[in-house]
């Protein structure tokens, strides 16, 4: 969910805390940038939401670094590309990193067949039952877990059926996989 707040940003510098101008000391975000055509403290300000700041600060205090859980796949989140491919919901897997738990579980990425035809990969539609419509949904769902956790990944898998008249038809079959999440700093998988 996206929300918009409108208030003066008094000469905020990147990394400055942001408080609403209502007399109450509540942190709402951390300023990251301001777009100002005039160069003054007037324009559009951008900030990291306080929930994200809190998560990152807690992790830095605990571990000294941020290690995020990953599926071990590359995805396509371009809405235009999805529309061109006829994908109405979910995230298309472009590549499954070799040797990752995602590869071992059986997830499939985009590939070229022996006769040169590009075959669509799996389309992620849910993580642990949470609907995935766009890239942000995927990251939000995975961020609730830790590296090493096993999650249920539900995909629509394109399959070719031959109609009674002999013409091929692509149908989507919903399939679920159990995938162990890898760590964002795990060079074993990230170097491949």
């Amino acid at each position: 969910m996206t929300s918009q707040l409108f208030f003066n940003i008094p000469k905020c510098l990147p990394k400055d805390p942001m408080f609403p101008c209502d007399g109450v000391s509540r942190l709402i975000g951390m300023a990251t940038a301001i777009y100002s055509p005039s160069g003054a403290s007037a324009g559009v300000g951008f900030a990291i939401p306080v929930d994200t700041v809190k998560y990152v600060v807690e992790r830095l205090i605990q571990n000294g670094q941020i290690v995020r859980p990953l599926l071990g796949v590359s995805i396509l989140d371009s809405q235009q590309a999805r529309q061109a491919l006829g994908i109405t919901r979910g995230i298309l897997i472009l590549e499954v990193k070799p040797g990752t738990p995602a590869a071992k579980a059986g997830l499939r990425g985009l590939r070229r067949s022996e006769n040169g035809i590009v075959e669509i990969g799996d389309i992620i539609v849910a993580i642990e039952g949470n609907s995935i419509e766009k890239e942000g949904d995927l990251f939000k769902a995975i961020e609730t877990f830790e590296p090493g956790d096993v999650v249920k990944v539900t995909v629509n898998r394109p399959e070719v059926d031959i109609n009674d008249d002999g013409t091929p038809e692509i149908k989507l079959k919903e399939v679920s996989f159990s995938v162990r999440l890898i760590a964002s700093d795990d060079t074993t998988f990230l170097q491949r």
Side-chain angles (χ1 to χ4, degrees), residues 121-144:
D122 289 335
I123 303 162
I124 301 171
V125 295
I127 301 286
E128 288 293 325
N130 296 312
S131 181
I132 305 298
E133 299 293 329
K134 57 187 184 295
E135 183 180 46
D137 298 336
L138 178 62
F139 294 140
K140 185 176 179 182
I142 289 182
E143 284 287 323
T144 62

Side-chain angles (χ1 to χ4, degrees), residues 64-97:
Q65 64 179 349
I66 303 298
V67 178
R68 292 199 147 96
L70 301 174
L71 271 177
V73 300
S74 298
I75 59 172
L76 173 69
D77 187 43
S78 164
Q79 186 174 0
Q80 287 178 320
R82 285 193 322 226
Q83 287 173 343
L85 294 169
I87 299 170
T88 57
R89 72 180 255 246
I91 301 296
L92 175 65
I93 297 176
L94 290 178
E95 177 189 13
V96 179
K97 302 289 183 186

Side-chain angles (χ1 to χ4, degrees), residues 108 120-123 156-160 170-173:
R108 295 182 191 164
I120 301 293
D122 289 335
I123 303 162
N156 280 338
R157 176 165 284 175
E159 293 186 350
V160 178
I170 297 176
K171 293 187 177 180
L172 297 176
K173 179 180 177 185

Side-chain angles (χ1 to χ4, degrees), residues 10-67:
K11 297 198 181 212
C12 275
L13 299 172
K15 302 181 186 102
D16 278 353
M18 295 179 65
F19 299 94
C21 297
D22 61 2
V24 180
S25 294
R26 291 176 290 129
L27 180 67
I28 60 169
M30 186 70 65
T32 57
I34 186 168
Y35 171 72
S36 174
S38 68
S41 292
V44 179
F46 300 91
I48 299 169
V50 69
D51 291 342
T52 303
V53 173
K54 182 180 176 192
Y55 170 83
V56 169
V57 168
E58 287 173 357
R59 292 295 170 105
L60 285 172
I61 290 169
Q62 284 177 349
N63 307 322
Q65 64 179 349
I66 303 298
V67 178

